[in-house]
Amino acid sequence: MQIVETTNEGLKRSYTVTIPAQTITSKIEAEVKKAAPQVRMPGFRPGKVPSNLVKKLHGPAIHQEALNTSIREAMDKLVSEKALRPAMNPDVALAEGYEEGKDAELTVSLEVLPQIAAPSLDGLKLERLTVPVLDEAVTEAVKRIADQQQRYETKDGVAEDGDQVIIDFTGKLDGVEFEGGKAEKAPLVIGAGRFIPGFEEQVAGIKAGEERTITVTFPEDYQAENLAGKETTFDIVAHEVKAPAESKLDDDFAKELGLESYEQLQGLLRGQLEQETAGLTRTAMKRQLLDQLAAGHDFDVPPTMVEAEFEQIWQQLSQEAEREEDPAAALAEIEAEKDDYRKIAERRVRLGLLLSEIGQANGVEVSAQEMSMLVSQAAQQYRAEDRQRFMEYVRQDPMMAAQLRAPLYEDKVVDFLIEKAEVTEREVTRDELQAAIEADADGEKPATEDKPKKAAAKKAKKADADDADVSEEKAEKPAKKAAAKADDAAVEGDAEAKPKKAPAKKKAAATEE
């Protein structure tokens, strides 16, 4: 095999690779011998079909397989001989005009990972912002649970805002009952906004035993097309009117939740709040760490990796914009900051490569047991009958496995660095901690309370995007195999084999989706 380097500029490399015809021919002969025992042909005993007939029958397929194998082996040899660390799979093209019996000439283009000196871990200084969990916060958490578990007591008189009404309702379109528009003894809380617009308002003022017919129009974007934008009537029968009952925060309340005492409930909630604030504290420390690493290291990164990262960020932002009240304005807003998001993508790739280098240099690994747990957890989002298929899919698809592994690997490297850093502590409020997390990387302060909430939300999204994305497959190991354009038959993963999520359950037509 002959290898000729044609480009060596920065991180870009190009080669011409020539595979001798004899190499491919020998593989064809080997494939023919391997296939012959399984070939069945009238007039010949099993396994006795002559090689020339086997080649005549299956020649094109055997030749393609031999060519694909030769290309894969050539790519492995190229990576090994030239000590390459591909950033992404190489772009491999077979020269036009190739035919069996001739040398195969390939053009190979790729980007390599930059050489990064193992960074010094001395001088890292971090501040741990801690938020004490006050008794008042625990009490507020208990009250929120009480509000969610709101009890109601039967009352005389008409239903007012906040009251619960137990009703039967029957929906009709043009005088005919429609599917999903009927329910018996359904609880409705006046003012809760859980039914379609106009429904609760017209039930307000009803009393037990009263019947009434209301007219409502379904929203234009309602999921049931036969009802979307249509005017309908609902026949209502009120069975009972209830008023909110005051919840006493005591042992009896805790026992209603399945606990032994109010003290136990407080302890559980305190633990949850401490865990939540500890997570925010770690997020703030991680942000400080990444900012320090980014400020102290500047090296070229592969453009293809940056583009792939940018596309991922852009797709997420575009989807979020589509869900805004004014999608066109939201899309125009992010379009105006496209260059900023591309810089974020470059920063993420650079930090990912740097963290990976630190992890490798210091023996940070994701164990087989940890990986198995990751796959099992990810499988839980699928239906029971599809979980095993998903786990098999991950085992067969290195890229999917890398996507699952990357966040845990990053967390382990970050934890390692936090342990090595000089850490000081400062007690702050929760708002101050949240502000530190939302602050932009350039030190700009997050939106204050008197500024539009949209700006703060946007800033938070930007902060979330501005993070490292470590992938061992991308940054730790060189690509072992190249996907040749000529290898049309080689499919890494069958999209149809991916399990699908179960559809959502239907709701009554009167309720909002």
Side-chain angles (χ1 to χ4, degrees), residues 379-392:
Q380 297 307 308
Q381 66 179 307
Y382 297 99
R383 296 174 299 187
E385 60 268 26
D386 290 330
R387 290 171 190 165
Q388 189 59 41
R389 292 174 59 201
F390 171 78
M391 295 170 74
E392 287 293 332

Side-chain angles (χ1 to χ4, degrees), residues 132-148 247-250 253 257 262-273:
V133 177
L134 304 177
D135 293 342
E136 293 85 344
V138 176
T139 301
E140 283 299 317
V142 175
K143 288 181 179 178
R144 285 195 295 272
I145 293 178
D147 291 341
Q148 293 168 2
S247 296
K248 294 183 179 180
L249 307 181
D250 53 18
F253 174 70
L257 299 175
Y262 183 66
E263 183 179 357
Q264 184 186 17
L265 173 60
Q266 287 179 307
L268 287 172
L269 291 176
R270 184 179 296 277
Q272 289 178 3
L273 289 172

Side-chain angles (χ1 to χ4, degrees), residues 121 124 126 128 279 281-291 293 351-352 354-356 358-360 362 364-365 406-421 423 467-470:
L121 305 184
L124 285 176
L126 302 174
R128 180 180 283 113
T281 294
R282 184 188 182 281
T283 298
M285 290 184 71
K286 178 180 177 181
R287 185 61 184 274
Q288 295 174 45
L289 174 65
L290 295 180
D291 285 348
L293 291 175
L351 283 170
L354 186 59
L355 287 175
S356 183
I358 293 171
Q360 292 178 73
N362 292 278
V364 178
E365 294 180 348
L408 177 59
Y409 184 73
E410 176 185 316
D411 283 342
K412 296 187 76 168
V413 176
V414 167
D415 288 339
F416 169 79
L417 290 171
I418 289 175
E419 289 179 5
K420 294 290 184 182
V423 179
D467 206 348
D469 183 15
V470 177

Side-chain angles (χ1 to χ4, degrees), residues 317-371:
L317 291 170
S318 299
Q319 289 173 350
E320 291 172 352
E322 291 288 353
R323 292 193 290 268
E324 295 285 347
E325 292 182 6
D326 187 348
L331 286 170
E333 189 174 359
I334 64 171
E335 186 71 35
E337 297 185 339
K338 201 167 189 175
D339 289 343
D340 291 339
Y341 288 113
R342 197 174 294 279
K343 290 177 183 177
I344 288 173
E346 183 176 335
R347 168 187 158 105
R348 290 181 65 174
V349 171
R350 183 174 289 110
L351 283 170
L353 294 174
L354 186 59
L355 287 175
S356 183
E357 190 69 34
I358 293 171
Q360 292 178 73
N362 292 278
V364 178
E365 294 180 348
V366 174
S367 68
Q369 183 178 4
E370 289 171 328
M371 190 63 200

Side-chain angles (χ1 to χ4, degrees), residues 445-498:
K445 299 297 183 184
T448 56
E449 288 300 320
D450 60 338
K451 292 182 181 179
K453 291 184 177 180
K454 186 175 180 182
K458 177 184 168 189
K459 199 172 294 298
K461 288 179 186 177
K462 202 168 182 179
D464 287 341
D466 192 0
D467 206 348
D469 183 15
V470 177
S471 169
E472 290 175 291
E473 293 298 325
K474 288 182 182 178
E476 181 180 345
K477 302 176 182 178
K480 294 292 184 181
K481 296 181 180 179
K485 289 184 178 179
D487 187 5
D488 293 332
V491 180
E492 288 294 330
D494 183 3
E496 295 299 322
K498 296 180 184 179

Side-chain angles (χ1 to χ4, degrees), residues 210-333:
E210 182 181 343
E211 299 182 10
R212 66 173 59 170
T213 298
I214 65 174
T215 301
V216 294
T217 300
F218 278 85
E220 292 288 346
D221 59 351
Y222 195 70
Q223 68 274 12
E225 293 183 3
N226 64 313
L227 297 175
K230 299 293 180 62
E231 184 178 271
T232 60
T233 61
F234 281 88
D235 295 332
I236 309 291
V237 178
H239 292 285
E240 195 174 4
V241 177
K242 298 181 177 183
E246 183 180 354
S247 296
K248 294 183 179 180
L249 307 181
D250 53 18
D251 288 345
D252 289 337
F253 174 70
K255 288 175 181 177
E256 289 179 6
L257 299 175
L259 302 176
E260 294 180 358
S261 66
Y262 183 66
E263 183 179 357
Q264 184 186 17
L265 173 60
Q266 287 179 307
L268 287 172
L269 291 176
R270 184 179 296 277
Q272 289 178 3
L273 289 172
E274 288 174 346
Q275 185 176 12
E276 183 180 340
T277 55
L280 292 174
T281 294
R282 184 188 182 281
T283 298
M285 290 184 71
K286 178 180 177 181
R287 185 61 184 274
Q288 295 174 45
L289 174 65
L290 295 180
D291 285 348
Q292 287 187 42
L293 291 175
H297 299 86
D298 186 18
F299 49 84
D300 290 339
V301 292
T304 52
M305 292 184 72
V306 173
E307 187 62 27
E309 194 65 48
F310 171 75
E311 287 299 327
Q312 184 177 343
I313 293 173
W314 195 251
Q315 182 180 16
Q316 179 183 349
L317 291 170
S318 299
Q319 289 173 350
E320 291 172 352
E322 291 288 353
R323 292 193 290 268
E324 295 285 347
E325 292 182 6
D326 187 348
L331 286 170
E333 189 174 359

